[in-house]
Amino acid sequence: MNANILSEIYRALAEVFYHSPGEHLPDWFTFPGKDWPLLQSVLSLSMERPSSQLKKAVDALDRVPGQTLSSRESEYETLFVGH
C-alpha cells in the first residue's frame, strides 16, 4: 500500500478531527466533498486496493454538499463535541 496516500488521508483527517472549539475548520471543509483533498487520496487508494468499503467512502464523499464554514462548524460541534 502506498504510504504517501495513507499519509495524505491521515493528514486530512487530522486536520479536521483535531479541531478545537473556537478554532476554524480548514477552508476546504466548506467545499463540496468532490473538491476535498481527502477525496483524491481515497480515490487513489481505492484504485490501488479496490474494495467495497473504499467504494462506499468515495461515493459518500462525492455526495457531501458544500456549506458555509459556520454551518460546518455547527455540525461538527453537534457530532463531535455534543453541543
Side-chain angles (χ1 to χ4, degrees):
M1 189 174 306
N2 188 323
N4 290 332
I5 294 171
L6 290 177
S7 165
E8 284 301 309
I9 291 170
Y10 294 143
R11 184 203 53 75
L13 291 172
E15 192 174 5
V16 172
F17 293 125
Y18 188 69
H19 173 72
S20 297
E23 292 180 8
H24 287 291
L25 290 165
D27 290 338
W28 61 262
F29 205 48
T30 64
F31 305 153
K34 65 182 177 160
D35 296 328
W36 289 2
L38 179 61
L39 178 61
Q40 292 308 311
S41 298
V42 174
L43 273 171
S44 296
L45 183 60
S46 71
M47 292 172 67
E48 188 174 298
R49 301 217 29 178
S51 75
S52 61
Q53 292 87 358
L54 285 172
K55 170 83 170 100
K56 286 178 187 178
V58 167
D59 291 344
L61 285 168
D62 195 44
R63 289 191 309 269
V64 173
Q67 288 184 309
T68 65
L69 190 56
S70 61
S71 294
R72 284 272 197 249
E73 287 174 339
S74 177
E75 285 183 352
Y76 184 96
E77 298 276 327
T78 300
L79 286 170
F80 298 108
V81 181
H83 296 145

